[in-house]
Amino acid sequence: MPWYLQLALRQLFPKGRRWPSFFFLLSVLGVSLGVMILVITQSVMGGFDKEHNAKMIMTSGHADVNAGGSVMHNSGALIAAISARPETLAAVPYAQGIVMLTHGNHPAFPFIRGLDLSQPRQVVPVGELLIAGDIADMDDDAVLLSSRLSQAIGAWVGSTVEVYTPLMIEKLKADEVMLPRRLRVCGIYETGWTPFDSNTMVCSLPLMQDLYELGDGIHGISILLRDERDESVWKYARSLGAELGRSQRVQTWMDMNRDFLWVLALEKNMMMFLMLFIILVASFAIAAAQLLTVLRKTREIGLLEAMGARPLHLGLLYCFQGFFIGLAGTLLGMAGAVLALHYRDPVIATLAAITQSQAALEQFYQFSHLPVYYDPADFILISIATLTISTLAGLIPAIRAAYMKPAEALRSE
Amino acid sequence: MNTQGEIILRAEALAKGFTIGTARVEVLCGADILVRAGKSVSIRGESGCGKTTLLNILSRMENPDSGLLQWQGREVAQIRPARLARERGRFMGMVFQSYYLVPELDVIGNVLLAAKVAGMKADKARARELLERVGLKERLFASPLTLSGGERQRVAVARALMNRPALMLADEPTGNLDEKSGAVVMDMLLAICAEQGASLVLVTHNRAFAARADESLVLHDGRLIPA
Ligand SMILES: Nc1ncnc2c1ncn2[C@@H]1O[C@H](COP(=O)(O)OP(=O)(O)O)[C@@H](O)[C@H]1O
Ligand SMILES: [Mg+2]
């Protein structure tokens, strides 16, 4: 081993002492905190992404065939054709709209979707999402309410609710008698996805067709695929779109949620930008600690030069220390991040209890617990960035060491 | 004056001045020195008269404003800057008033470092032999921080001799030591340099020590004159 590597290691781990040098510990701590924060934010952001995506897919399927809001009639053949494709896992026709819902004197204007519940494989797994009631009790005179909607109007399983459709209001204008449709609440569902949980309801497709007087018409077909990788979904949408008539179109879940995904991407980029400053702060910690070492060791550098050390090797002595600090900090920071994320629930619960913000957390972040997704690419990127920056941070003192005049170095106090 | 033997070090008409603010201080003006193989030269002088500056110029850690400097007959000014540090590390050993041991290395590690830094073979047997010679056989793997001042300076002497230098430069090697350990260090320094055949330039305040060198000089008004 070249002398400068050997000496670098010895200076980090002095002989005969149980602990590495104080400066080493301090710099490693600085780097590991930076790495830890980076890994935590990236993994939590990634977790939110995954969770958001999963919820979007859960509530709308991977792809959707529709006529841009117009009613599609005689769609039996189309549904059969879609179902027959090998990539298709499920294809469920639906009709949707907005109704006025009342329970006692509590009104609400929820979004309602009628699903063909007779299909053996559903796209939206309503049965599994029920927190009360039983999907087996569903018929054409029953509805399922989202959890927040049921709270808002004070209805529960077994309650009877009244539904007014826009058509009924049209008839009212024509002085016809208007009788609301009385329906039984058969179940309450919760997805954990606030846009869906706050103000929606689900009924059978025949009931929806009846309410909106659609005959056999539907508004679209939700499709679930076997292979849910983004490329496969895009490919499926393209090939299906080529087969469809002019009036129909295929949208992927990414098309349908484009605005929301754009906001998420923006948020992640902003986070990255902010994180850059954390990397900078961490690298300052290394540079400062290294610079302190060089100042402390000025006379030692003079001595090494007096003994014949080449400036390049003196530079490497400190670059290597920077690299090693980066390495130790990266490993420690990543271990710390994984550990902190492993125990995130008790940590957040404690924080929320201290600040009494549990309710706000759930309301605004849509998830009751913090999702985490470890992306190997994040880890690789963070390691490379940290090692590069910490080695470069060692470069500043290294250059100082390399250019110091030995006589002046030895004279310095 | 001895006129026998190879000339190890020759310096003629060395001049060096420093500008501090607007004031100009001429520290050396026309200093000459000649050191032959195996011989020792002592230099005395008042504090601040330029002894350290002279040694720095002799080791070319500092450039003179003018004058001639030769190491073993080679013009030092001709040595490429990139080679200079290594040439110095092989040609001369240095001992300083404040030992300058590397605290993170053990005693033998400090001695071996001199060889490694100068790109020479790290001969453990030689390092051991030198440390035994300066009476530190039992402390080979001790940390320098656990040694007394006299012991540290003896390690520094062993380190300076590790690369079999033709010339030793010692700048007040006993300056930080009490009388007794200073005497021990001085005895060893003179004896080992003689044994190893290294010439010695010794800067000291102590008249008795200075008198033990083959030649005694005094630095006065920027010149070296016989004591
Ligand atoms: N780098 C420098 N810049 C300015 N003045 C210096 C420098 N080095 C030495 N001097 C001055 O040169 C003089 C001689 O210093 P020095 O050689 O250390 O003396 P000595 O070793 O004999 O005590 C002192 O006055 C000192 O202040
Ligand atoms: Mg001096």
Side-chain angles (χ1 to χ4, degrees), chain A residues 407-408 411, chain B residues 16-20 25 27 45-56 62 171-172 203 205 219:
Chain A
E408 278 170 29
R411 257 183 215 278
Chain B
K16 179 74 178 176
F18 295 105
T19 310
I20 307 162
V25 188
V27 178
E46 286 162 22
S47 216
C49 73
K51 303 183 295 295
T52 299
T53 304
L54 174 67
L55 289 192
N56 284 342
E62 209 151 12
D171 191 356
E172 301 190 37
V203 167
H205 277 301
L219 182 59

Side-chain angles (χ1 to χ4, degrees), chain A residues 166-341:
Chain A
L167 280 173
M168 293 174 184
I169 294 163
E170 283 296 317
K171 284 178 184 162
L172 190 66
K173 283 195 218 157
D175 280 341
E176 286 181 38
V177 183
M178 186 183 76
L179 284 177
R181 186 74 176 259
R182 294 170 64 83
L183 298 168
R184 192 177 80 254
V185 176
C186 170
I188 312 291
Y189 58 82
E190 191 167 88
T191 60
W193 176 236
T194 308
F196 204 76
D197 286 344
S198 54
N199 199 23
T200 64
M201 58 193 284
V202 168
C203 66
S204 71
L205 180 61
L207 174 58
M208 190 61 201
Q209 286 169 332
D210 190 23
L211 285 172
Y212 264 60
E213 293 177 11
L214 298 172
D216 75 338
I218 60 171
H219 285 117
I221 303 159
S222 301
I223 302 165
L224 205 60
L225 299 179
R226 292 179 200 282
D227 182 354
E228 60 174 11
R229 283 172 304 170
D230 292 352
E231 318 86 69
S232 316
V233 174
W234 289 118
K235 196 171 148 226
Y236 181 89
R238 273 197 306 276
S239 83
L240 181 58
E243 280 178 22
L244 294 177
R246 277 176 165 268
S247 57
Q248 288 146 9
R249 61 176 183 182
V250 187
Q251 286 178 294
T252 68
W253 63 273
M254 290 165 271
D255 296 320
M256 292 184 278
N257 297 286
R258 184 179 296 137
D259 292 350
F260 192 75
L261 288 170
W262 185 82
V263 172
L264 282 186
L266 181 77
E267 201 174 69
K268 206 173 179 198
N269 288 342
M270 286 307 289
M271 275 297 197
M272 265 299 211
F273 178 69
L274 294 179
M275 289 308 114
L276 267 182
F277 289 94
I278 289 177
I279 302 188
L280 266 179
V281 169
S283 62
F284 265 115
I286 308 176
Q290 284 291 93
L291 209 56
L292 263 171
T293 310
V294 174
L295 288 178
R296 214 161 41 101
K297 300 216 167 259
T298 299
R299 287 192 302 187
E300 188 172 295
I301 292 167
L303 170 86
L304 290 169
E305 288 210 74
M307 292 199 307
R310 292 170 56 191
L312 173 69
H313 292 165
L314 282 172
L316 285 174
L317 172 65
Y318 291 96
C319 265
F320 183 72
Q321 292 195 13
F323 173 81
F324 199 82
I325 288 169
L327 190 68
T330 305
L331 294 178
L332 197 73
M334 286 183 172
V338 171
L339 201 73
L341 287 174

